[in-house]
């Protein structure tokens, strides 16, 4: 046994390992559970008498030297790997994956930019709201259909906690906390209990606008919206306002722009009318001002609200609303160059 160990010792001392495969072979042969050294320790149990001490010492020496050898091989291989990586400056770099902004964010930012140029600042509010901020303070009558479970996602009933159905709720939060003059836009996500299809989704995005000051008139509203439409869709864009109804504005209107696909001549997109609807607006109802402790004899204001998906569709002609929330990289990558 002594001879065997001495022979192994010289074998180990002269061993050469230059790569990971050889290192693993070395480990399996000598150091693994079924390797030579473990087997020798098994055999050592049969050694008795004065032999025991000497063979034992020799065997330990073999084990230690083999382990040291293994560690130094490992270190060499690792050093070699890092040093080649660092030294070869001609190696091509790892490609950097550049992400793209979501089309909804691109348009949201563009809308914010346009209104910032007119002195508007951005405000945000919570997506989980109460009845007061979404309906009551906005002058919604008790029996209004939007208060129905079929249109609104309720989280709790009595007191009502719900997912906001429009960003008009942020108007109330700001007016409750700020004194006029107020000139803000409020982008955000809204929720409605709708069946999901190419044309409707249970969540989408809006931007709300609000301007409250002395002597704000409908003419101010019209001019602001015309400026917005032309900045967004080009200088040739025409607007038209149709009378409408919203509980929180009086008078109320809906705004159309001349179809930006056919230039107003009529096409399939505008259903051959030459016009497409883009937003709702009006003069803030005095009841809403009073609900927020703003004196409606002293102040007037206008408000407007638009769907970001709608504006995005007009700019990018996305045919199916569901694409916005499917996170399909093939779809999202197309907007890379528009950042
Ligand atoms: N909140 C309305 C909606 O979700 C949009 C709207 C219309 C907002 C008229 C306004 C407004 O501020 O004046 O359909």
């Amino acid at each position: 046994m002594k001879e065997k160990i001495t022979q192994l010792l010289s074998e180990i001392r002269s061993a050469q390992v230059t790569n990971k495969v050889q290192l693993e072979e070395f480990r399996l042969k000598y150091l693994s559970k079924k390797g030579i050294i473990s087997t020798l320790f098994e055999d050592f149990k049969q050694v008795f008498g004065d032999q025991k001490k000497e063979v034992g010492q020799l065997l330990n020496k073999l084990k230690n030297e083999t382990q040291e050898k293994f560690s130094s091989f490992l270190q060499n291989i690792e050093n070699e790997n890092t040093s080649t990586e660092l030294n070869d400056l001609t190696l091509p770099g790892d490609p950097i994956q550049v992400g793209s902004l979501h089309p909804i964010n691109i348009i949201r930012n563009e809308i914010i930019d346009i209104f910032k140029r007119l002195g508007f600042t951005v405000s945000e509010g919570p997506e989980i709201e109460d009845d007061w901020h979404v309906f009551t303070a906005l002058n919604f009558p008790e029996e209004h259909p939007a208060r129905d479970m079929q249109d609104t996602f309720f989280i709790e009933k009595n007191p009502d906690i719900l997912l906001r159905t429009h960003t008009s709720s942020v108007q109330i939060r700001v007016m409750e906390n700020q004194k006029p003059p107020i000139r803000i836009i409020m982008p955000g996500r809204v929720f409605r209990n709708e069946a999901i299809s190419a044309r409707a989704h249970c969540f989408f995005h809006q931007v709300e606008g609000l301007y409250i000051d002395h002597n704000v008139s409908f003419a101010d509203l019209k001019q602001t919206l015309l400026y917005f439409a032309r900045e967004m869709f080009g200088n040739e864009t025409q607007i038209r306002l149709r009378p409408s109804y919203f509980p929180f504005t009086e008078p109320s209107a809906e705004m159309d722009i001349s179809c930006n696909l056919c230039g107003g001549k009529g096409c399939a997109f505008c259903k051959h009318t030459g016009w497409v609807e883009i937003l709702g607006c009006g003069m803030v109802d005095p009841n809403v001002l009073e609900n927020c402790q703003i004196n409606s004899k002293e102040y007037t204001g206008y408000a407007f609200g638009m769907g970001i998906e709608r504006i995005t569709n007009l700019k990018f002609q996305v045919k199916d609303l569901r694409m916005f929330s499917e996170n399909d990289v093939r779809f999202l990558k197309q907007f890379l160059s528009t950042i």
Side-chain angles (χ1 to χ4, degrees):
M1 191 160 183
K2 240 165 69 182
E3 264 162 44
K4 201 169 171 189
I5 297 173
T6 325
Q7 195 203 326
L8 274 168
L9 256 175
S10 67
E11 195 177 307
I12 294 287
R13 282 171 188 160
S14 60
Q16 288 296 334
V17 162
T18 51
N19 59 40
K20 279 189 174 160
V21 178
Q22 288 173 357
L23 183 67
E24 182 58 7
E25 278 166 11
F26 179 90
R27 190 189 67 79
L28 286 172
K29 184 171 175 190
Y30 299 107
L31 291 168
S32 65
K33 265 194 184 145
K34 289 188 180 147
I36 294 176
I37 295 177
S38 289
T39 319
L40 283 174
F41 271 98
E42 278 302 311
D43 297 345
F44 179 64
K45 288 177 187 159
Q46 313 299 325
V47 178
F48 297 106
D50 45 354
Q51 287 268 308
K52 201 169 166 116
K53 189 175 171 200
E54 203 185 339
V55 176
Q57 277 173 347
L58 210 55
L59 194 51
N60 274 330
K61 190 174 170 153
L62 174 70
K63 187 179 151 197
N64 292 339
E65 276 198 30
T66 312
Q67 272 169 348
E68 276 163 25
K69 200 84 184 175
F70 177 82
S71 303
S72 84
F73 284 149
L74 181 66
Q75 187 120 49
N76 284 345
I77 289 171
E78 278 175 355
N79 283 349
E80 219 163 81
N81 283 345
T82 50
S83 63
T84 50
E85 262 167 36
L86 285 178
N87 286 341
D88 190 354
L89 299 176
T90 63
L91 281 175
D94 291 333
I96 298 168
Q97 294 280 337
V98 181
S100 55
L101 282 185
H102 193 283
I104 295 289
N105 277 344
I106 294 173
I107 297 301
R108 173 187 175 275
N109 293 350
E110 218 169 308
I111 298 171
I112 291 174
D113 264 9
I114 294 171
F115 283 103
K116 268 192 182 163
R117 298 204 278 277
L118 295 174
F120 284 76
T121 54
V122 175
S123 284
E124 288 184 343
E127 291 175 355
I128 298 174
E129 265 293 5
D130 51 26
D131 172 275
W132 169 256
H133 292 93
V134 176
F135 299 129
T136 304
L138 284 161
N139 207 28
F140 275 78
E142 200 55 55
E143 68 290 352
H144 195 283
R147 293 177 177 241
D148 200 319
M149 297 272 254
Q150 258 151 27
D151 295 292
T152 302
F153 289 114
F154 284 88
I155 292 172
E156 263 171 47
K157 274 291 207 182
N158 294 323
D160 288 351
I161 305 294
L162 45 98
L163 297 180
R164 66 180 178 194
T165 55
H166 54 180
T167 42
S168 304
S169 54
V170 190
Q171 283 187 28
I172 303 299
R173 291 207 171 259
V174 172
M175 285 193 282
E176 281 173 338
N177 293 305
Q178 259 170 258
K179 293 258 158 297
I182 295 171
R183 187 157 43 184
I184 47 163
I185 43 165
M186 299 149 272
R189 189 159 44 170
V190 300
F191 306 83
R192 287 186 198 172
N193 195 354
E194 304 237 14
I196 296 171
S197 71
R199 318 199 76 227
H201 211 295
C202 59
F203 71 82
F204 53 99
H205 302 79
Q206 290 186 331
V207 174
E208 187 85 7
L210 178 73
Y211 178 34
I212 312 277
D213 205 344
H214 296 289
N215 304 317
V216 178
S217 72
F218 202 91
D220 297 323
L221 171 63
K222 234 173 122 174
Q223 193 56 37
T224 305
L225 294 179
L226 178 64
Y227 174 79
F228 165 73
R230 295 202 163 155
E231 287 293 291
M232 195 73 193
F233 297 105
N235 257 337
E236 306 306 311
T237 311
Q238 302 293 316
I239 63 166
R240 76 173 182 191
L241 290 157
R242 289 176 286 104
S244 184
Y245 173 76
F246 300 102
F248 36 91
T249 43
E250 182 59 36
S252 305
E254 275 167 292
M255 187 175 96
D256 300 339
I257 57 162
S258 49
C259 178
N260 71 322
L261 292 189
C262 62
K265 289 194 204 78
C267 65
F269 187 77
C270 60
K271 301 199 186 84
H272 303 282
T273 62
W275 296 96
V276 284
E277 185 197 318
I278 63 160
L279 56 81
C281 60
M283 301 305 291
V284 179
D285 193 300
N287 289 344
V288 175
L289 294 175
E290 296 297 337
N291 284 339
C292 303
Q293 266 78 53
I294 291 176
N295 186 348
S296 62
K297 303 252 162 19
E298 196 185 341
Y299 291 104
T300 51
Y302 64 67
F304 56 86
M306 65 185 106
I308 305 183
E309 276 79 353
R310 175 122 192 104
I311 311 282
T312 309
N313 279 344
L314 281 169
K315 288 284 258 196
F316 297 137
Q317 285 97 54
V318 178
K319 298 244 158 51
D320 190 330
L321 268 185
R322 288 169 290 197
M323 293 215 174
F324 289 130
S325 48
E326 275 168 356
N327 288 336
D328 186 331
V329 178
R330 290 167 304 175
F331 170 69
L332 298 172
K333 265 209 305 220
Q334 298 176 77
F335 302 93
L336 207 59
S337 56
T338 28
I339 301 176

